[in-house]
Amino acid sequence: MTAQPQFHSGNDWNAQMEQLRNDLFGIAMSVSALNDRLDRLEQRVPSGASPVQASLATLRAEIESWLENHLNTAVEHCMQRIMSRPTHPASS
């Protein structure tokens, strides 16, 4: 079992929160790029290619479902870990 890092000052707390913000921004940018790529693929599908359109719709739904199920859980878990640390500063 590994030891959890302890926060010793407000600067440590701020650094952890800033890192989480940066991570979330990176995730948002990646998801946006993925969405744009799917949009471009959908635009290239010739009309009448229902199986391809259905496959892309299924792929988009699977991606959205995965993000909803895993990303929300991961962010919540990280926030709970940060907030449960005994040396974090009191919220204002």
Side-chain angles (χ1 to χ4, degrees):
M1 195 162 131
T2 60
Q4 295 294 321
Q6 295 295 312
F7 293 108
H8 298 289
S9 71
N11 289 337
D12 290 334
W13 171 258
N14 291 335
Q16 289 294 320
M17 292 304 292
E18 187 62 26
Q19 182 60 52
L20 185 58
R21 283 186 197 99
N22 290 338
D23 292 344
L24 289 171
F25 179 76
I27 291 166
M29 295 301 294
S30 296
V31 169
S32 178
L34 178 59
N35 187 54
D36 291 346
R37 186 169 292 124
L38 285 170
D39 288 345
R40 285 192 302 273
L41 282 173
E42 289 172 341
Q43 292 171 359
R44 292 181 182 171
V45 174
S47 60
S50 294
V52 175
Q53 291 170 334
S55 293
L56 284 172
T58 299
L59 178 60
R60 185 182 292 274
E62 288 173 356
I63 291 168
E64 289 172 356
S65 176
W66 188 91
L67 287 170
E68 183 177 332
N69 291 330
H70 292 86
L71 185 58
N72 287 342
T73 302
V75 170
E76 184 177 323
H77 176 73
C78 287
M79 288 302 298
Q80 287 175 354
R81 286 183 62 194
I82 290 171
M83 298 303 290
S84 69
R85 296 211 173 137
T87 57
H88 73 344
S91 58
S92 54

